[in-house]
Amino acid sequence: TISGSQPEMRKTKHWYLPLNRYEAFLEKWIIKGHKLDWKPNVYGQVKSWIDNGLHARAVTRDLDWGIPVPVKGGENKVLYVWFDAPIGYISSTKEWAAKKGVNWEPYWKDDQTKLVHFIGKDNIVFHCIIFPVVLHASGSYILPENVPANEFLNLEGQKISTSNNWAVWLHEYLYEFPDQQDVLRYVLTANAPETKDNDFTWRDFQARNDNELVAIYGNFINRIVVLTHKYYDGVVPLPNAKSQVDEETLAELHALPTQIAAAVESYRFREGSQLLLKIARLGNKYLADEEPWKQQKTDPERVKTIMYNGLQIAAVLAIASTPFLPQTAYKLKQILGLPLESKWDDLAQTEFVSAGTVL
C-alpha cells in the first residue's frame, strides 16, 4: 500500500503445492533413508520441518514481474520464485543440451546420475523439501543424493551486503593481487563455514598466506628445489637403499591422498585443504630431521636418497594440489618435470620424479 494509507483487504486466488501429502515420502527418503551422512545442520533442519508437520505452500504471487502461471485462470499471476527457480536448473540443462546436440534427460532422469545441491543454509528447505517433492511428484526425475549446505560467511564481523558495498569484489581482488587466485581460493576453503558461521578477515587472510602457504608449503618447495640445484645442478639424483625413516615417511605420504579424497567426497573441503598442507609439513619435517645440508659433508650418498625422497613428496604435493590450488599445481608440475595432465589416480604410483630428470 501507499505509505500512510490503510491496508486494503482483497480476495485473491492462489495455487498451492500440497506438501502435506508428501510427508510419508519425505520421511522415508530423508529420515528413514541414508541421509544420516548429510551435514547435521541440513539433516536437522529438514527433520524439524517434517516433525512439525508440513502444510500446503502457495506457489503463486500477485506481481507484475516473474514467470506467468501457465494454466487457465492464472492470468496476471506469476510463480513464486523459489518454486520456479530450481526448475530453471532443468531448463538450463535442456538449453545447454540443445546447443550441444546431446540428450538432456540422462542428466535428470538416469539412476546413474549423481545430483548434488551446493547451497547456503537459507535455501535448505527449497532444495531438500520443495524441489524434491516437485521432482518426486513428476514421477521420472532423480532426487538429490546430497545437499552439502554451508552456513554464512561474514566479512570483518558484519554480514556481507553487496547493496551496501560490504563485500570483496573478485575483479578488485584480482587487480590488487594479480595472479594470486590460489591464495583467496585456499583461504576461503580453509575457513569455509561448513558447520557454523565463519568470518573472513584480511588479518586472517594475511596470516594464512604467510604462516601456511609461504612458511609451510612454499618453504618446503623452495628448500627441496634449491638444494637439488645446489648439490646436483638441478638433476634428480639416483637414490640408494631406503632407511626405516624413509619407509615410514613414504608410507605416511602415500596414505594422505586417500584421506584427502575421502574428505572431498564427503564435502569436507576444509579438512581436505589441511590434509593437503600436511603433505608439505611432512616434507619439511623429513628435511629437518634428516638434515641433508649437514650430511652432504659426511655422507653424500645418503643425501642423494634424502633428496630423491623429498622430490617424490613434492610431486605428490603438486598433483594433490590440483583441486585446491590449480595455478600452483600447474607451476609445480612444470618445475618438477611432471606431465601437466597428471591426474588424481596417478597418485597410486610410488615414483613420480625419475632420477635424471632436470628441474
Side-chain angles (χ1 to χ4, degrees):
T1 63
I2 300 174
S3 178
S5 66
Q6 292 295 317
E8 180 183 333
M9 297 292 290
R10 295 178 182 174
K11 183 175 284 190
T12 187
K13 177 180 179 180
H14 284 297
W15 278 258
Y16 282 75
L17 180 64
L19 294 177
N20 49 305
R21 296 183 194 171
Y22 295 93
E23 278 190 16
F25 151 68
L26 290 168
E27 186 168 353
K28 179 181 178 182
W29 176 55
I30 295 176
I31 308 303
K32 296 178 180 178
H34 63 284
K35 306 310 179 203
L36 287 174
D37 60 346
W38 285 15
K39 287 186 176 182
N41 59 322
V42 178
Y43 180 83
Q45 188 178 137
V46 175
K47 187 177 186 302
S48 176
W49 272 73
I50 296 172
D51 288 347
N52 291 326
L54 297 176
H55 304 282
R57 186 165 181 142
V59 296
T60 59
R61 292 289 188 271
D62 290 317
L63 295 170
D64 56 4
W65 58 271
I67 304 298
V69 174
V71 296
K72 186 177 180 181
E75 296 79 11
N76 301 319
K77 292 183 184 293
V78 298
L79 293 173
Y80 172 44
V81 67
W82 266 116
F83 174 76
D84 167 67
I87 298 172
Y89 304 155
I90 304 172
S91 301
S92 63
T93 306
K94 292 178 74 172
E95 183 181 37
W96 167 84
K99 291 178 180 177
K100 294 289 184 178
V102 298
N103 184 9
W104 68 272
E105 293 199 39
Y107 289 88
W108 286 96
K109 297 184 177 182
D110 193 318
D111 288 339
Q112 297 302 308
T113 297
K114 184 176 178 180
L115 174 61
V116 182
H117 294 311
F118 293 96
I119 58 168
K121 66 178 177 181
D122 50 335
N123 289 328
I124 289 174
V125 64
F126 302 108
H127 288 83
C128 294
I129 293 181
I130 294 177
F131 191 39
V133 163
V134 173
L135 293 172
H136 173 72
S138 74
S140 60
Y141 288 79
I142 59 172
L143 298 171
E145 180 175 300
N146 209 316
V147 185
N150 279 337
E151 301 291 292
F152 291 147
L153 184 68
N154 297 315
L155 175 59
E156 298 285 358
Q158 297 181 42
K159 185 176 180 179
I160 291 174
S161 172
T162 55
S163 58
N164 293 327
N165 200 29
W166 189 251
V168 177
W169 299 99
L170 190 56
H171 69 283
E172 293 181 353
Y173 172 87
L174 295 174
Y175 177 79
E176 296 287 346
F177 298 96
D179 299 320
Q180 296 298 313
Q181 294 95 313
D182 279 1
V183 180
L184 183 60
R185 187 185 182 102
Y186 173 79
V187 173
L188 288 174
T189 304
N191 192 36
E194 292 179 346
T195 54
K196 63 181 180 63
D197 291 357
N198 272 358
D199 200 31
F200 177 91
T201 68
W202 287 112
R203 184 179 294 276
D204 179 67
F205 173 88
Q206 182 179 10
R208 287 191 181 275
N209 180 78
D210 295 353
N211 302 334
E212 296 174 20
L213 292 180
V214 175
I216 299 172
Y217 191 118
N219 180 59
F220 168 62
I221 296 302
N222 183 65
R223 289 165 93 184
I224 196 71
V225 172
V226 166
L227 289 175
T228 303
H229 279 287
K230 181 178 180 180
Y231 299 155
Y232 316 112
D233 295 324
V235 179
V236 178
L238 185 68
N240 297 293
K242 295 185 180 71
S243 70
Q244 183 178 344
V245 171
D246 298 340
E247 297 284 4
E248 291 172 353
T249 300
L250 293 174
E252 185 176 353
L253 170 69
H254 294 307
L256 282 168
T258 302
Q259 296 173 29
I260 295 171
V264 170
E265 289 293 337
S266 300
Y267 313 106
R268 302 191 309 271
F269 304 127
R270 188 172 63 197
E271 178 185 330
S273 72
Q274 297 314 293
L275 287 168
L276 175 72
L277 206 64
K278 194 173 179 180
I279 298 175
R281 292 183 195 275
L282 180 68
N284 279 319
K285 184 179 185 304
Y286 179 67
L287 292 181
D289 290 347
E290 296 304 299
E291 299 181 312
W293 42 87
K294 288 185 179 179
Q295 294 203 58
Q296 180 66 5
K297 300 174 183 177
T298 59
D299 191 353
E301 289 302 309
R302 169 62 186 155
V303 172
K304 290 179 180 178
T305 305
I306 296 170
M307 296 304 297
Y308 173 86
N309 291 334
L311 288 165
Q312 305 312 311
I313 297 174
V316 171
L317 184 61
I319 299 171
S321 293
T322 306
F324 301 94
L325 306 167
Q327 284 191 313
T328 303
Y330 182 83
K331 288 190 287 185
L332 192 45
K333 287 176 184 178
Q334 287 183 310
I335 290 171
L336 299 172
L338 294 172
L340 297 179
E341 65 276 9
S342 296
K343 297 289 190 294
W344 192 270
D345 289 345
D346 296 331
L347 290 169
Q349 301 169 203
T350 55
E351 182 185 73
F352 301 90
V353 185
S354 303
T357 301
V358 181
L359 303 189

